[in-house]
Each structure stands twice: as structure tokens, then as C-alpha cells.
Amino acid sequence: DEFWSIIQDEGKKWAGDKLYIAKISSGTFRRFDKHDGLSPVWEVQMVKCNEITERNEYGKTITKCKGRMKVLSLVESGIIGLEAGLHVKKEGSFYGAAVDFERIKFSAQSAEQVANQHMRYRSSGYDNYAYDLKADQFSNKPVWTIKKACGLKGVQERRCRSKDHWIVKVDGETGEIIR
């Protein structure tokens, strides 16, 4: 949620009402289980979309955005080799799939809750989750991919089972499970 508010603040300052998102992702690092919603590294590809083009391909309409991209990352403390805090990685040209920021109604945490409910899983608070949001170029929707793995504590205590590993896709606009 902290990173979500940073995206909103920094993105609106930089792109105003032309803020689009190409990708949001969290990194996973060995020996760093999720603690109280923390993920070790978050990254966003924000896009200042100046031109939107549509074309038909494979019987579907593909929407692309042309503009400028800015990559921001947020690193939690305790990651060896990375400096904690907010970083601007790069800025450059962009042409690809991106979705209007205002259409993303579900944060990573909300998408995780939907995925847990769908899988009938109750988070222990020490699970390994990976979060990825991408703009689906065929449906022009924001799609969260929630990946769950057994955390380090579960591995050490030999409590991991096959059902502790799964991947669920959630529509970032409606919260529906994507099959």
C-alpha cells in the first residue's frame, strides 16, 4: 500500500492525467519472507501516454500507448547489495501496452486477498508472494498475477505441501478471477 501511494503521488506529478501503467512487479529474494505485507523490492513502469493507437491483429483490437516511461523502485531495508528507499532507475521512450492508472481499482494487497479467497487459503503472514500487474494488450485490462510459494519458515519446518504453491490472475479493474 505504501508503494501504491508513491505511484499515485509521483506519477500524477510527472504525468498528470496522462498517467498510464505498463507494469508493476515485486521482487522476491531468498531468505526474505513476506512480513506484514512487505515485499523486498517493488518496481513500476509509469508511462506518460501522449498517443494511443489501436489496430486489429489476430481478430482482436490491440491498444498501444506511445510516450515516455519512467521506472521507479522501492527497496526495503535489509536487502544485501541494494540501497533502501525510493529510486528512479531510468526514463526513456515507450511504445507498448499500458493501462490508464485510474482503471486500476485493486492494489496488490487487494488482489492477494481475492486470490487467497479463490484458493481457499489463509495467509500465515510468512508466505512468499510475488505480484505482477501488466496491461493485457488484447483485452486492454490491468491484470494482476499473484504467485504464492511456501516461505522459508515453512521450508525449514518441513511444512510445505504442493497446494502451498499456486498462481492466480485477478482483473485489476473488477477484482474477478481470470481463467
Side-chain angles (χ1 to χ4, degrees), residues 12-29:
K12 293 289 181 180
K13 278 190 245 174
W14 177 65
D17 63 351
K18 294 180 179 184
L19 178 60
Y20 281 64
I21 302 295
K23 181 180 179 181
I24 299 174
S25 59
S26 69
T28 55
F29 285 81

Side-chain angles (χ1 to χ4, degrees), residues 5 9 16 19 27 35 55 82 97-98 134 147 149 156 164 168:
S5 63
D9 294 343
L19 178 60
H35 297 282
R55 67 177 198 263
L82 297 176
K134 291 182 183 173
K147 299 173 188 173
Q156 288 175 334
D164 291 336
V168 174

Side-chain angles (χ1 to χ4, degrees), residues 109-152:
Q109 187 174 17
S110 299
E112 177 194 318
Q113 289 170 351
V114 169
N116 284 336
Q117 288 171 351
H118 176 71
M119 296 304 293
R120 294 183 176 95
Y121 180 77
R122 181 175 290 163
S123 177
S124 67
Y126 292 95
D127 302 312
N128 275 350
Y129 285 89
Y131 311 87
D132 288 297
L133 179 120
K134 291 182 183 173
D136 183 301
Q137 67 179 0
F138 292 109
S139 67
N140 192 27
K141 289 183 178 185
V143 176
W144 281 106
T145 302
I146 310 297
K147 299 173 188 173
K148 157 69 175 80
C150 191
L152 177 63

Side-chain angles (χ1 to χ4, degrees), residues 4 15 21-22 28 34 38 43 51 61 68-69 72 83 93 116 127 144 148 161 163 166:
W4 191 251
I21 302 295
T28 55
K34 175 188 162 195
L38 295 178
E43 186 172 275
E51 182 183 335
T61 302
R68 302 286 298 164
M69 176 182 69
L72 294 180
E83 185 180 330
S93 299
N116 284 336
D127 302 312
W144 281 106
K148 157 69 175 80
R161 299 178 304 262
K163 70 176 188 172
W166 43 260

Side-chain angles (χ1 to χ4, degrees), residues 55-100:
R55 67 177 198 263
N56 285 328
E57 230 176 81
Y58 309 112
K60 295 194 176 205
T61 302
I62 296 177
T63 305
K64 299 258 182 159
C65 167
K66 185 176 183 180
R68 302 286 298 164
M69 176 182 69
K70 191 175 194 179
V71 178
L72 294 180
S73 65
L74 179 66
V75 179
E76 295 292 337
S77 60
I79 306 299
I80 296 169
L82 297 176
E83 185 180 330
L86 183 66
H87 307 279
V88 177
K89 284 192 171 182
K90 65 179 177 179
E91 188 172 338
S93 299
F94 179 84
Y95 180 73
V99 67
D100 187 337

